[in-house]
Amino acid sequence: QVPVVESGGGSVQAGGSLRLSCVASGYIQCNYMSWHRQVLGKEREFVSGISRVGSTSYADSVKGRFTISQDDAKNTVYLQMNGLKPEDTALYFCKTTGCERDGVFYPQEDWGQGTQVTVSS
């Protein structure tokens, strides 16, 4: 199992910004890393993802407001969230897919524990 650790959540007012971080601890790089969010009682939904070569994708609800990026090591991704809205309030999870460590490739998906984002109106 790939240890995935998220950080950067918090409480902000509408219009504010937060930057989430996610690291696949101890791994050199991952083929794909993505952010998802979940509100209690609802299904988890895709927010944004980035491939090892830098291809990005976004949910329509966050396009133009959120930006995903990764560091050169390809084992850490960031989600810059601007123009936050109350409907962005959720527990944000990071998922890794296909990570490499010490020459061994781990093809499975792994999830972090989540970081809470709360946006007040």
Side-chain angles (χ1 to χ4, degrees), residues 2 5 22 32 35 41 46 48 67 77 83 90 106 108 110 116 118-119:
V2 175
V5 181
C22 169
Y32 192 76
W35 287 97
F46 172 80
S48 181
T67 303
V77 294
Y106 299 83
Q108 75 272 12
D110 289 283
Q116 179 67 37
T118 302
V119 185

Side-chain angles (χ1 to χ4, degrees), residues 39-113:
V39 176
L40 190 63
K42 295 187 177 181
E43 291 188 358
R44 192 172 297 186
E45 65 175 5
F46 172 80
V47 175
S48 181
I50 188 167
S51 71
R52 189 169 64 179
V53 298
S55 297
T56 60
S57 57
Y58 297 92
D60 288 342
S61 59
V62 305
K63 282 181 181 176
R65 300 187 298 122
F66 292 9
T67 303
I68 192 168
S69 60
Q70 62 187 350
D71 69 355
D72 290 341
K74 306 295 191 291
N75 71 338
T76 302
V77 294
Y78 307 96
L79 186 67
Q80 178 66 44
M81 304 186 295
N82 299 328
L84 283 162
K85 304 175 181 180
E87 51 263 43
D88 294 319
T89 296
L91 187 60
Y92 283 70
F93 296 89
C94 179
K95 184 178 76 171
T96 64
T97 305
C99 300
E100 178 184 348
R101 183 181 70 179
D102 297 332
V104 180
F105 180 70
Y106 299 83
Q108 75 272 12
E109 296 178 343
D110 289 283
W111 292 87
Q113 295 298 307

Side-chain angles (χ1 to χ4, degrees), residues 11-31:
S11 297
V12 296
Q13 290 191 329
S17 298
L18 284 173
R19 188 191 193 208
L20 305 183
S21 299
C22 169
V23 58
S25 182
Y27 284 76
I28 296 175
Q29 58 186 353
C30 299
N31 282 349

